[in-house]
Amino acid sequence: MSSPDPTPVIDLIEAFRRSKTMFAAVKLGVFDRLERGPADAATLAAELDAQTEPLERLLDACAGLGLLGRQDGRYANKPVAAEYLCRSSEHALTGYILYSNDVLFQVWAHLEDAVREGSHRWKQTFGLTGPIFDHFFKTDEAMRTFLMGMHGFGVLSSPKVVAVFDLSRFQKLVDLGGATGHLAIAACERYPELQAAVFDLPRVIEVAREEVGRSSVASRIELLAGDFFRDALPEADLYSVGRILHDWSEDKIRALLEKIYARLPSGGGLLIAEKLLAEDKTGPTPAHMQSLNMLVCTEGKERTVGEYRALLEAAGFADVQGRRTGAPLDAVLALKK
Ligand SMILES: C[S@@+](CC[C@H](N)C(=O)[O-])C[C@H]1O[C@@H](n2cnc3c(N)ncnc32)[C@H](O)[C@@H]1O
């Protein structure tokens, strides 16, 4: 009997090398520099404080990965790199890449211990104990990198998340843990009558102020500092939680959902933005990977619509519907009868 094709295994052996190649090039500033014009390896090495020959290997690898072009020994950004790998682009994914390089790559190194012990790896990796967001936000720079990481995927997802359900009957949206405000911005852009608020921890609200301030709907978005576990929730007929429920233990989720339900008027809604697992948990792979990611750095996990429905109905919600958006984040809407 012939052996099965080893290609999938070989591909997975190499997969982290491809990721790390892109992370290193972003961290070194290769794509940012090339936005100013093509350059050869020696020029780039001098400007980016690197050795020419090793940098040339990295640049050639990036070209092989489709991120750079090379002509007459000079490198230039491909459109995909210009759009997503340059910090100045409005669609930059560099925040999430730097966060992946500096944090996730390290904590994922202990995945097998996370599986054995069933807990995140902040202490093992960085010696950190205490609330998880104290770690994500250990320094202002770390906080900004994390938030801009969330923002990059948020900008790709939120316009679709707010469009897969008709939310036009709602008047006031409060995005709990709304970070930079991308969901509130997308919702206000789509629904011209909507008023919105971003509710997040005080340090985060300062970053939200910058992003919301740059948007065309800033006048309809309030910025509210608070703690959704401890403080009273601002009044709204629609709350949203994007990548919030997947951070926390089931007890904390239950408490938060009950608090939201109690604060909503009848007819009010809760919009959830998360990656949705298939009901039989056979995929999709990005949701599997995100669930493992939650294992190594939070208390939470990804869920199926059925699992969200069970949590939401236990808190009193009805009419729970899930929708795939085709974007990195999917959507669930639940109503208070
Ligand atoms: C994983 S991020 C998601 C951010 C945003 N919703 C998004 O999808 O881009 C979690 C957010 O929850 C916020 N957060 C964490 N604990 C919080 C709390 N107790 N009260 C309010 N916000 C909190 C964090 O500051 C962060 O902005």
mmCIF file with all atom_site columns, all heavy atoms in Angstrom, residues 228-241:
data_model
loop_
_atom_site.group_PDB
_atom_site.id
_atom_site.type_symbol
_atom_site.label_atom_id
_atom_site.label_alt_id
_atom_site.label_comp_id
_atom_site.label_asym_id
_atom_site.label_entity_id
_atom_site.label_seq_id
_atom_site.pdbx_PDB_ins_code
_atom_site.Cartn_x
_atom_site.Cartn_y
_atom_site.Cartn_z
_atom_site.occupancy
_atom_site.B_iso_or_equiv
_atom_site.pdbx_formal_charge
_atom_site.auth_seq_id
_atom_site.auth_comp_id
_atom_site.auth_asym_id
_atom_site.auth_atom_id
_atom_site.pdbx_PDB_model_num
ATOM 1   N N   . PHE A 1 228 ? -17.555 47.118 32.266 1.00 0.00 ? 228 PHE A N   1
ATOM 2   C CA  . PHE A 1 228 ? -18.864 46.490 32.041 1.00 0.00 ? 228 PHE A CA  1
ATOM 3   C C   . PHE A 1 228 ? -19.214 45.430 33.081 1.00 0.00 ? 228 PHE A C   1
ATOM 4   O O   . PHE A 1 228 ? -20.362 45.029 33.189 1.00 0.00 ? 228 PHE A O   1
ATOM 5   C CB  . PHE A 1 228 ? -19.043 45.980 30.606 1.00 0.00 ? 228 PHE A CB  1
ATOM 6   C CG  . PHE A 1 228 ? -17.926 45.108 30.037 1.00 0.00 ? 228 PHE A CG  1
ATOM 7   C CD1 . PHE A 1 228 ? -17.497 43.968 30.677 1.00 0.00 ? 228 PHE A CD1 1
ATOM 8   C CD2 . PHE A 1 228 ? -17.369 45.443 28.804 1.00 0.00 ? 228 PHE A CD2 1
ATOM 9   C CE1 . PHE A 1 228 ? -16.500 43.164 30.130 1.00 0.00 ? 228 PHE A CE1 1
ATOM 10  C CE2 . PHE A 1 228 ? -16.357 44.655 28.246 1.00 0.00 ? 228 PHE A CE2 1
ATOM 11  C CZ  . PHE A 1 228 ? -15.921 43.504 28.920 1.00 0.00 ? 228 PHE A CZ  1
ATOM 12  N N   . PHE A 1 229 ? -18.242 44.973 33.856 1.00 0.00 ? 229 PHE A N   1
ATOM 13  C CA  . PHE A 1 229 ? -18.581 44.032 34.926 1.00 0.00 ? 229 PHE A CA  1
ATOM 14  C C   . PHE A 1 229 ? -19.041 44.770 36.188 1.00 0.00 ? 229 PHE A C   1
ATOM 15  O O   . PHE A 1 229 ? -19.905 44.307 36.899 1.00 0.00 ? 229 PHE A O   1
ATOM 16  C CB  . PHE A 1 229 ? -17.369 43.151 35.278 1.00 0.00 ? 229 PHE A CB  1
ATOM 17  C CG  . PHE A 1 229 ? -17.037 42.135 34.211 1.00 0.00 ? 229 PHE A CG  1
ATOM 18  C CD1 . PHE A 1 229 ? -15.749 42.059 33.691 1.00 0.00 ? 229 PHE A CD1 1
ATOM 19  C CD2 . PHE A 1 229 ? -18.001 41.260 33.742 1.00 0.00 ? 229 PHE A CD2 1
ATOM 20  C CE1 . PHE A 1 229 ? -15.435 41.115 32.715 1.00 0.00 ? 229 PHE A CE1 1
ATOM 21  C CE2 . PHE A 1 229 ? -17.695 40.321 32.761 1.00 0.00 ? 229 PHE A CE2 1
ATOM 22  C CZ  . PHE A 1 229 ? -16.407 40.245 32.246 1.00 0.00 ? 229 PHE A CZ  1
ATOM 23  N N   . ARG A 1 230 ? -18.427 45.944 36.433 1.00 0.00 ? 230 ARG A N   1
ATOM 24  C CA  . ARG A 1 230 ? -18.665 46.612 37.724 1.00 0.00 ? 230 ARG A CA  1
ATOM 25  C C   . ARG A 1 230 ? -19.649 47.768 37.660 1.00 0.00 ? 230 ARG A C   1
ATOM 26  O O   . ARG A 1 230 ? -20.339 48.040 38.631 1.00 0.00 ? 230 ARG A O   1
ATOM 27  C CB  . ARG A 1 230 ? -17.354 47.187 38.245 1.00 0.00 ? 230 ARG A CB  1
ATOM 28  C CG  . ARG A 1 230 ? -16.356 46.138 38.589 1.00 0.00 ? 230 ARG A CG  1
ATOM 29  C CD  . ARG A 1 230 ? -15.126 46.814 39.116 1.00 0.00 ? 230 ARG A CD  1
ATOM 30  N NE  . ARG A 1 230 ? -14.096 45.846 39.357 1.00 0.00 ? 230 ARG A NE  1
ATOM 31  C CZ  . ARG A 1 230 ? -12.957 46.121 39.956 1.00 0.00 ? 230 ARG A CZ  1
ATOM 32  N NH1 . ARG A 1 230 ? -12.730 47.325 40.388 1.00 0.00 ? 230 ARG A NH1 1
ATOM 33  N NH2 . ARG A 1 230 ? -12.058 45.180 40.133 1.00 0.00 ? 230 ARG A NH2 1
ATOM 34  N N   . ASP A 1 231 ? -19.639 48.511 36.539 1.00 0.00 ? 231 ASP A N   1
ATOM 35  C CA  . ASP A 1 231 ? -20.418 49.756 36.486 1.00 0.00 ? 231 ASP A CA  1
ATOM 36  C C   . ASP A 1 231 ? -21.799 49.514 35.875 1.00 0.00 ? 231 ASP A C   1
ATOM 37  O O   . ASP A 1 231 ? -22.010 48.535 35.146 1.00 0.00 ? 231 ASP A O   1
ATOM 38  C CB  . ASP A 1 231 ? -19.670 50.800 35.632 1.00 0.00 ? 231 ASP A CB  1
ATOM 39  C CG  . ASP A 1 231 ? -18.330 51.159 36.234 1.00 0.00 ? 231 ASP A CG  1
ATOM 40  O OD1 . ASP A 1 231 ? -18.203 51.082 37.476 1.00 0.00 ? 231 ASP A OD1 1
ATOM 41  O OD2 . ASP A 1 231 ? -17.405 51.510 35.470 1.00 0.00 ? 231 ASP A OD2 1
ATOM 42  N N   . ALA A 1 232 ? -22.701 50.478 36.143 1.00 0.00 ? 232 ALA A N   1
ATOM 43  C CA  . ALA A 1 232 ? -24.014 50.437 35.478 1.00 0.00 ? 232 ALA A CA  1
ATOM 44  C C   . ALA A 1 232 ? -23.797 50.640 33.982 1.00 0.00 ? 232 ALA A C   1
ATOM 45  O O   . ALA A 1 232 ? -22.910 51.404 33.576 1.00 0.00 ? 232 ALA A O   1
ATOM 46  C CB  . ALA A 1 232 ? -24.884 51.553 36.033 1.00 0.00 ? 232 ALA A CB  1
ATOM 47  N N   . LEU A 1 233 ? -24.595 49.956 33.172 1.00 0.00 ? 233 LEU A N   1
ATOM 48  C CA  . LEU A 1 233 ? -24.443 50.110 31.717 1.00 0.00 ? 233 LEU A CA  1
ATOM 49  C C   . LEU A 1 233 ? -25.196 51.349 31.250 1.00 0.00 ? 233 LEU A C   1
ATOM 50  O O   . LEU A 1 233 ? -26.297 51.626 31.743 1.00 0.00 ? 233 LEU A O   1
ATOM 51  C CB  . LEU A 1 233 ? -24.992 48.871 30.995 1.00 0.00 ? 233 LEU A CB  1
ATOM 52  C CG  . LEU A 1 233 ? -24.333 47.539 31.362 1.00 0.00 ? 233 LEU A CG  1
ATOM 53  C CD1 . LEU A 1 233 ? -24.959 46.393 30.559 1.00 0.00 ? 233 LEU A CD1 1
ATOM 54  C CD2 . LEU A 1 233 ? -22.824 47.585 31.132 1.00 0.00 ? 233 LEU A CD2 1
ATOM 55  N N   . PRO A 1 234 ? -24.635 52.090 30.290 1.00 0.00 ? 234 PRO A N   1
ATOM 56  C CA  . PRO A 1 234 ? -25.367 53.239 29.736 1.00 0.00 ? 234 PRO A CA  1
ATOM 57  C C   . PRO A 1 234 ? -26.642 52.755 29.048 1.00 0.00 ? 234 PRO A C   1
ATOM 58  O O   . PRO A 1 234 ? -26.705 51.615 28.586 1.00 0.00 ? 234 PRO A O   1
ATOM 59  C CB  . PRO A 1 234 ? -24.399 53.824 28.709 1.00 0.00 ? 234 PRO A CB  1
ATOM 60  C CG  . PRO A 1 234 ? -23.123 53.088 28.854 1.00 0.00 ? 234 PRO A CG  1
ATOM 61  C CD  . PRO A 1 234 ? -23.362 51.846 29.619 1.00 0.00 ? 234 PRO A CD  1
ATOM 62  N N   . GLU A 1 235 ? -27.636 53.646 28.963 1.00 0.00 ? 235 GLU A N   1
ATOM 63  C CA  . GLU A 1 235 ? -28.918 53.256 28.367 1.00 0.00 ? 235 GLU A CA  1
ATOM 64  C C   . GLU A 1 235 ? -28.770 53.020 26.859 1.00 0.00 ? 235 GLU A C   1
ATOM 65  O O   . GLU A 1 235 ? -28.059 53.768 26.174 1.00 0.00 ? 235 GLU A O   1
ATOM 66  C CB  . GLU A 1 235 ? -29.917 54.393 28.595 1.00 0.00 ? 235 GLU A CB  1
ATOM 67  C CG  . GLU A 1 235 ? -31.326 53.993 28.278 1.00 0.00 ? 235 GLU A CG  1
ATOM 68  C CD  . GLU A 1 235 ? -32.304 55.107 28.661 1.00 0.00 ? 235 GLU A CD  1
ATOM 69  O OE1 . GLU A 1 235 ? -31.867 56.176 29.136 1.00 0.00 ? 235 GLU A OE1 1
ATOM 70  O OE2 . GLU A 1 235 ? -33.510 54.875 28.432 1.00 0.00 ? 235 GLU A OE2 1
ATOM 71  N N   . ALA A 1 236 ? -29.439 51.978 26.362 1.00 0.00 ? 236 ALA A N   1
ATOM 72  C CA  . ALA A 1 236 ? -29.408 51.679 24.923 1.00 0.00 ? 236 ALA A CA  1
ATOM 73  C C   . ALA A 1 236 ? -30.554 50.742 24.585 1.00 0.00 ? 236 ALA A C   1
ATOM 74  O O   . ALA A 1 236 ? -31.063 50.038 25.467 1.00 0.00 ? 236 ALA A O   1
ATOM 75  C CB  . ALA A 1 236 ? -28.092 51.005 24.552 1.00 0.00 ? 236 ALA A CB  1
ATOM 76  N N   . ASP A 1 237 ? -30.984 50.747 23.320 1.00 0.00 ? 237 ASP A N   1
ATOM 77  C CA  . ASP A 1 237 ? -31.918 49.687 22.905 1.00 0.00 ? 237 ASP A CA  1
ATOM 78  C C   . ASP A 1 237 ? -31.198 48.630 22.068 1.00 0.00 ? 237 ASP A C   1
ATOM 79  O O   . ASP A 1 237 ? -31.790 47.635 21.664 1.00 0.00 ? 237 ASP A O   1
ATOM 80  C CB  . ASP A 1 237 ? -33.151 50.244 22.171 1.00 0.00 ? 237 ASP A CB  1
ATOM 81  C CG  . ASP A 1 237 ? -32.810 50.993 20.893 1.00 0.00 ? 237 ASP A CG  1
ATOM 82  O OD1 . ASP A 1 237 ? -31.611 51.256 20.648 1.00 0.00 ? 237 ASP A OD1 1
ATOM 83  O OD2 . ASP A 1 237 ? -33.745 51.320 20.140 1.00 0.00 ? 237 ASP A OD2 1
ATOM 84  N N   . LEU A 1 238 ? -29.904 48.857 21.812 1.00 0.00 ? 238 LEU A N   1
ATOM 85  C CA  . LEU A 1 238 ? -29.080 47.831 21.158 1.00 0.00 ? 238 LEU A CA  1
ATOM 86  C C   . LEU A 1 238 ? -27.685 47.876 21.783 1.00 0.00 ? 238 LEU A C   1
ATOM 87  O O   . LEU A 1 238 ? -27.036 48.937 21.773 1.00 0.00 ? 238 LEU A O   1
ATOM 88  C CB  . LEU A 1 238 ? -28.975 48.098 19.651 1.00 0.00 ? 238 LEU A CB  1
ATOM 89  C CG  . LEU A 1 238 ? -28.084 47.134 18.862 1.00 0.00 ? 238 LEU A CG  1
ATOM 90  C CD1 . LEU A 1 238 ? -28.649 45.710 18.886 1.00 0.00 ? 238 LEU A CD1 1
ATOM 91  C CD2 . LEU A 1 238 ? -27.920 47.601 17.407 1.00 0.00 ? 238 LEU A CD2 1
ATOM 92  N N   . TYR A 1 239 ? -27.260 46.763 22.344 1.00 0.00 ? 239 TYR A N   1
ATOM 93  C CA  . TYR A 1 239 ? -25.870 46.634 22.812 1.00 0.00 ? 239 TYR A CA  1
ATOM 94  C C   . TYR A 1 239 ? -25.130 45.763 21.815 1.00 0.00 ? 239 TYR A C   1
ATOM 95  O O   . TYR A 1 239 ? -25.729 44.908 21.143 1.00 0.00 ? 239 TYR A O   1
ATOM 96  C CB  . TYR A 1 239 ? -25.806 45.981 24.201 1.00 0.00 ? 239 TYR A CB  1
ATOM 97  C CG  . TYR A 1 239 ? -26.348 46.871 25.293 1.00 0.00 ? 239 TYR A CG  1
ATOM 98  C CD1 . TYR A 1 239 ? -27.655 46.736 25.737 1.00 0.00 ? 239 TYR A CD1 1
ATOM 99  C CD2 . TYR A 1 239 ? -25.554 47.860 25.882 1.00 0.00 ? 239 TYR A CD2 1
ATOM 100 C CE1 . TYR A 1 239 ? -28.164 47.562 26.723 1.00 0.00 ? 239 TYR A CE1 1
ATOM 101 C CE2 . TYR A 1 239 ? -26.054 48.696 26.872 1.00 0.00 ? 239 TYR A CE2 1
ATOM 102 C CZ  . TYR A 1 239 ? -27.356 48.539 27.282 1.00 0.00 ? 239 TYR A CZ  1
ATOM 103 O OH  . TYR A 1 239 ? -27.856 49.371 28.256 1.00 0.00 ? 239 TYR A OH  1
ATOM 104 N N   . SER A 1 240 ? -23.823 45.970 21.751 1.00 0.00 ? 240 SER A N   1
ATOM 105 C CA  . SER A 1 240 ? -23.004 45.040 20.972 1.00 0.00 ? 240 SER A CA  1
ATOM 106 C C   . SER A 1 240 ? -21.802 44.634 21.799 1.00 0.00 ? 240 SER A C   1
ATOM 107 O O   . SER A 1 240 ? -21.318 45.401 22.645 1.00 0.00 ? 240 SER A O   1
ATOM 108 C CB  . SER A 1 240 ? -22.579 45.650 19.635 1.00 0.00 ? 240 SER A CB  1
ATOM 109 O OG  . SER A 1 240 ? -21.985 46.912 19.826 1.00 0.00 ? 240 SER A OG  1
ATOM 110 N N   . VAL A 1 241 ? -21.365 43.411 21.556 1.00 0.00 ? 241 VAL A N   1
ATOM 111 C CA  . VAL A 1 241 ? -20.151 42.886 22.194 1.00 0.00 ? 241 VAL A CA  1
ATOM 112 C C   . VAL A 1 241 ? -19.352 42.174 21.097 1.00 0.00 ? 241 VAL A C   1
ATOM 113 O O   . VAL A 1 241 ? -19.745 41.123 20.608 1.00 0.00 ? 241 VAL A O   1
ATOM 114 C CB  . VAL A 1 241 ? -20.455 41.928 23.379 1.00 0.00 ? 241 VAL A CB  1
ATOM 115 C CG1 . VAL A 1 241 ? -20.756 42.702 24.649 1.00 0.00 ? 241 VAL A CG1 1
ATOM 116 C CG2 . VAL A 1 241 ? -21.566 40.941 23.070 1.00 0.00 ? 241 VAL A CG2 1
#
